[in-house]
Amino acid sequence: MNFYCIIYKPFNVLSQFTSQEGKQTLKDFFDVPPDVYPVGRLDYDSEGLLILTNDKTINNKLLNPDHEHIREYWVQLDGAVTAEAIHQLQNGVTISIDGKKHHTKKCGASIFKTAPAVPERNPPIRYRANIPVSWIKIKLTEGKNRQVRKMTAAVGFPTLRLIRYSIEKCTIEGLQPGDMRMLTQNELHHLIRK
């Protein structure tokens, strides 16, 4: 029987159900059948949307680069981000992937006028009174290793906090870290259909 759900992966949790390193994994938060796995991954120090399923067709649909599904990230940056930096992100920047130069595809990037309503992070971001922070939204159709962090660093604004908010129309709206929402096959297919 096929299983479909979305979860809000907490910060400092591996995107897998086993760990050889003693780090927290999805198993510490979510009770799912043993044949269920995350589609794709989020880095240990990133948080937000993951889809869990045992339906291998979903894996191919979302991870095949030819399908170019839009993934939206909410990113807290170190410093007051500039319009020039946003313009550079939109047009693509050169980052290093496995020691090779990669120019990222054009993407959607914009500044939040006010900080988005997001759950408190545990542990919280280190507060520094004299250094401003900014929140931006980035929409990508590619998913290279640590791409968002590398992109923001390339334009001079290191990432402090990274949350994947959505994949196509599938979002973490209303979820808190560690929450899970069950879906039917039709619901998930509708949310991720291009």
Side-chain angles (χ1 to χ4, degrees):
M1 179 148 163
N2 283 342
F3 179 98
Y4 306 91
C5 76
I6 59 173
I7 63 167
Y8 188 132
K9 183 190 91 66
F11 175 71
N12 280 358
V13 172
L14 294 170
S15 293
Q16 58 197 44
F17 286 94
T18 58
S19 172
Q20 295 80 38
E21 308 153 21
K23 293 180 176 176
Q24 284 193 306
T25 70
L26 299 177
K27 187 173 186 160
D28 294 306
F29 295 87
F30 306 103
D31 185 19
V32 298
D35 64 340
V36 168
Y37 295 93
V39 178
R41 59 188 293 279
L42 276 174
D43 292 320
Y44 179 71
D45 55 353
S46 299
E47 56 191 291
L49 178 67
L50 271 178
I51 296 170
L52 302 182
T53 186
N54 52 7
D55 182 344
K56 291 181 177 32
T57 63
I58 298 291
N59 233 18
N60 179 51
K61 190 171 202 164
L62 287 177
L63 300 183
N64 184 328
D66 294 341
H67 296 151
E68 295 195 328
H69 285 89
I70 297 171
R71 294 156 172 83
E72 181 175 316
Y73 298 86
W74 292 3
V75 193
Q76 186 182 34
L77 302 178
D78 195 359
V81 71
T82 62
E84 172 59 25
I86 293 294
H87 182 71
Q88 288 176 308
L89 292 171
Q90 290 168 340
N91 287 301
V93 295
T94 300
I95 60 175
S96 177
I97 303 293
D98 298 327
K100 297 186 181 101
K101 297 290 182 202
H102 171 76
H103 194 78
T104 61
K105 293 181 180 181
K106 289 190 174 192
C107 70
S110 59
I111 303 172
F112 279 98
K113 290 186 178 19
T114 58
V118 296
E120 289 294 319
R121 199 186 80 178
N122 185 20
I125 300 285
R126 186 166 56 94
Y127 177 72
R128 294 174 297 170
N130 299 324
I131 300 176
V133 297
S134 311
W135 279 92
I136 65 170
K137 184 184 298 185
I138 296 183
K139 293 183 179 183
L140 301 177
T141 56
E142 61 181 342
K144 304 294 184 190
N145 184 37
R146 298 183 75 77
Q147 180 170 342
V148 172
R149 292 176 190 277
K150 290 176 181 179
M151 288 174 70
T152 68
V155 298
F157 295 93
T159 293
L160 296 174
R161 186 176 181 189
L162 179 58
I163 302 170
R164 180 159 58 202
Y165 177 74
S166 68
I167 300 171
E168 288 296 326
K169 291 182 277 186
C170 192
T171 76
I172 52 169
E173 184 71 35
L175 296 181
Q176 294 290 313
D179 283 356
M180 174 167 57
R181 180 183 301 141
M182 297 300 299
L183 298 171
T184 66
Q185 181 181 30
N186 285 343
E187 284 171 331
L188 183 57
H189 279 275
H190 172 73
L191 289 170
I192 63 173
R193 191 170 58 227
K194 288 200 50 89

